[in-house]
Amino acid sequence: MTLFHMALEQTFLAIKPDGVQRGLVGEILGRFERKGFKLIALKQLTPSRDLAEKHYGVHRERPFFGGLVDFITSGPVVAMVWEGDGVIASARKMIGATKPLEAEPGTIRGDLAVNIGRNVIHGSDGPETAKFEISLWFQSSELNDWIPAEQVWRVEE
């Protein structure tokens, strides 16, 4: 038996404290699993202020920076790394617009988010951001390389 395995794109997603506290973790995980993406890392933690400030560093000079940091450190976050073909763009579509009132029905934010300050989930916006965020939240030893059963093919020789 020969295994066919190719390097696929990875993205970072985080279910924010409002999503965790509202019991939406299973719903959100299920959406990505049903889509066919592979979960390669998962942990729950309450982010430190230092981690939050690094994560949101691009917004450091904006007036809402302090509020972002305060919120993301206010309770547990479920941090994840997902892998798949086109996972970054697909995850962004599944998540929906940042402002829940602008998010389409059927998206995570369109269906589950309350307002811009409580929009349930974060997702990397591009390959460089994904690489940065994955390395910020996870050590390489925490990323699991595995092949889903449906991707294992028998090759007749």
Side-chain angles (χ1 to χ4, degrees):
M1 179 175 4
T2 303
L3 298 178
F4 176 78
H5 183 63
M6 56 190 222
L8 296 170
E9 187 175 72
Q10 296 177 350
T11 195
F12 173 78
L13 300 176
I15 302 172
K16 298 177 182 180
D18 56 324
V20 173
Q21 292 167 7
R22 290 178 51 213
L24 301 175
V25 174
E27 163 75 19
I28 292 168
L29 283 169
R31 288 184 184 214
F32 288 96
E33 286 181 324
R34 286 189 300 276
K35 181 72 175 173
F37 294 123
K38 181 171 75 169
L39 181 62
I40 64 168
L42 172 76
K43 64 182 169 184
Q44 179 175 304
L45 70 154
T46 300
S48 67
R49 193 151 194 88
D50 181 58
L51 174 61
E53 288 175 354
K54 287 176 183 170
H55 179 82
Y56 287 123
V58 65
H59 300 301
R60 187 172 300 280
E61 301 305 319
R62 299 210 173 150
F64 55 83
F65 176 74
L68 283 175
V69 171
D70 289 344
F71 175 62
I72 202 78
T73 60
S74 70
V77 168
V78 173
M80 305 169 280
V81 179
W82 290 87
E83 184 176 85
D85 187 23
V87 71
I88 296 171
S90 189
R92 298 289 292 176
K93 285 183 181 181
M94 291 171 67
I95 289 169
T98 302
K99 296 178 183 176
L101 290 175
E102 297 173 4
E104 294 293 323
T107 65
I108 292 167
R109 289 178 177 153
D111 292 349
L112 306 173
V114 178
N115 62 48
I116 193 167
R118 301 290 180 267
N119 64 9
V120 180
I121 189 169
H122 164 83
S124 299
D125 62 6
E128 291 306 312
T129 306
K131 187 175 181 179
F132 168 74
E133 291 174 345
I134 291 167
S135 69
L136 185 62
W137 289 78
F138 290 92
Q139 296 178 22
S140 60
S141 63
E142 295 177 295
L143 304 179
N144 296 284
D145 186 21
W146 60 281
I147 301 172
E150 68 273 5
Q151 292 182 9
V152 177
W153 292 295
R154 283 187 110 96
V155 177
E156 307 269 334
E157 295 187 30

